[in-house]
Amino acid sequence: VRLTKAYVAYCLVCCLLSAVAFVSTMARATKAKMWEGKTLTAHQWLPWESYLDLVVGLVVCAETTSTLWLTGAREFIGDCWGVFDASVVILTLLSWFLIFLQRTAWPGRGILTLDLPLLALRFVLQPCRLLATASMAKRVRTMQKNTIDIAFDVLENSVEMVPPTPSGGLLSKWLEAEIRQQLPTWCRYREWSLAYSPRTHGTSMGTFYRLQSKIATCGANVIVLKDGMGGILGGFSTEPWQICGSRGYYGSGDCFVFAMRSGEELEFYHHVPYKSEDVLLWADCSGFSLSGAVVVRSDFQKGSSQPSSTFGSPGLSTEGADFTILAFECWLLGGVGP
C-alpha cells in the first residue's frame, strides 16, 4: 500500500508541475503578444520555468525507459501511448542538445541560429509533457486497480520473491513458466490457483460459471486444454467468464492464445493493437469462446479452434477445426480459487 500510494502521488505531482509550467508559459506568451505587441520570438523563459522543464523532462525520460524495460519492446511499441512517450523523450533530448549547442558554441563560428527552432521546440514540448505525465498518472491508477498490494513485512528476510508454482495435472511447471513470461506486467507475478477442473469440480458448465462469479473481483485467468491427439492449447483472458448476450463482451488487448501441437514447439499469439479486431469474449449455457481461437462446449467434452484475425493465429488444435477435449483447467491469477 505504501508503494502504490506514494507512486500515485509522485505521478500526480509531476503532472501538476508540468501543468504549472505550461500555463505559466502560455499566459506570459499570450500577454506579450496581445497586450504588449511583442512577437513570440522575443519570449524568454524564467529560470524557475527552465528548472521545472528540466525536472519534468528527466521524469518523463526515466518513466518511459522503465516502462520499455518492464513491458518489452513489442508491447511498448504496440501501445500508442508508448510511442507518444518515446517521441516526447526524443524531442526532449533534442531540445537539451540544442540548448547545449547554444550555450557552448564559440562566437563568430557561423553556427546556424538556434533561437527560433529551440523556441518552437520548447513551446511544443510543454503540452506534450503535460499529456505524457497525465498518461503516466492514469496508467499507474489502472495498474493500482489491477494489481495486488505488496506485503513488505513478508519480504524483509527474503532476497528474491519467487511466485509459487501451481500444481495441476495438465499445467506443468515448464508450461506455467512459459505462459507467465507472456503475461502483462500487472499480473505476471500473481499467485496461481486452480479455479476449475472437471476432474476436481465435476463436468458442468453451470458449475464453471458459478465458480467464475465468485472470483469476478480478480478476473484474469488462464485456460489450458488437451485435445484428442495430445496437443496443448489455451489462452489468457483479462476478464472472468460469464454468461452474456449474443453480442458478447470485450476483453483487453492483453489477452492472448497459445498452442503446442503434437511434435511442435509452444507458440503464442498476441492481440496486435490497431491492426486487428477487438478481443471478443462470448459465453452461454452451451460453452464459451475467446475470439473464436479457442471455443469450449458440450460440458468440456468438445472444442473448436478457427483461424483468428484478432490474434493472427491459425487453428490451434492438432486434430483440426473441431476436437475432443481430454483435459481442461482454468487457473485464477491472484486471489484464492473457489
Side-chain angles (χ1 to χ4, degrees), residues 200-272:
T200 303
H201 303 95
T203 306
S204 168
M205 281 288 174
T207 301
F208 173 72
Y209 290 131
R210 281 195 299 274
L211 295 177
Q212 287 285 299
S213 66
K214 295 180 180 180
I215 61 174
T217 55
C218 299
N221 64 89
V222 172
I223 57 173
V224 186
L225 303 81
K226 177 187 285 187
D227 66 20
M229 295 185 67
I232 301 294
L233 63 148
F236 165 68
S237 171
T238 55
E239 305 295 329
W241 297 100
Q242 53 189 341
I243 295 178
C244 59
S246 58
R247 294 185 178 181
Y249 56 101
Y250 292 101
S252 79
D254 291 330
C255 297
F256 61 82
V257 294
F258 58 88
M260 185 169 62
R261 301 170 188 82
S262 181
E264 299 183 16
E265 295 183 354
L266 178 64
E267 295 184 61
F268 291 89
Y269 303 91
H270 290 261
H271 176 257
V272 182

Side-chain angles (χ1 to χ4, degrees), residues 134-175:
S135 70
M136 181 176 71
K138 183 179 183 298
R139 183 165 56 243
V140 171
R141 288 293 297 168
T142 302
M143 291 175 65
Q144 189 183 37
K145 292 178 181 179
N146 290 327
T147 53
I148 54 178
D149 293 329
I150 297 175
F152 289 92
D153 55 338
V154 177
L155 304 179
E156 289 179 354
N157 299 319
S158 325
V159 176
E160 182 179 1
M161 182 179 67
V162 179
T165 300
S167 175
L170 182 57
L171 185 70
S172 65
K173 293 182 179 180
W174 173 83
L175 180 58

Side-chain angles (χ1 to χ4, degrees), residues 166-168 171 192-195 220-224 329-333:
S167 175
L171 185 70
W192 293 37
S193 57
L194 186 63
N221 64 89
V222 172
I223 57 173
V224 186
E329 291 175 355
C330 177
W331 291 89
L332 171 67
L333 308 187

Side-chain angles (χ1 to χ4, degrees), residues 103-117:
R103 294 183 179 180
T104 60
W106 294 355
R109 290 300 300 268
I111 300 288
L112 57 87
T113 302
L114 299 176
D115 290 342
L116 188 57

Side-chain angles (χ1 to χ4, degrees), residues 243-314:
I243 295 178
C244 59
S246 58
R247 294 185 178 181
Y249 56 101
Y250 292 101
S252 79
D254 291 330
C255 297
F256 61 82
V257 294
F258 58 88
M260 185 169 62
R261 301 170 188 82
S262 181
E264 299 183 16
E265 295 183 354
L266 178 64
E267 295 184 61
F268 291 89
Y269 303 91
H270 290 261
H271 176 257
V272 182
Y274 314 110
K275 295 183 180 179
S276 59
E277 299 175 357
D278 292 331
V279 178
L280 180 64
L281 307 176
W282 172 86
D284 68 5
C285 295
S286 64
F288 56 91
S289 166
L290 180 53
S291 281
V294 180
V295 181
V296 177
R297 60 178 187 273
S298 302
D299 284 334
F300 304 96
Q301 298 178 20
K302 298 291 183 180
S304 63
S305 178
Q306 301 288 342
S308 172
S309 59
T310 300
F311 301 108
S313 61

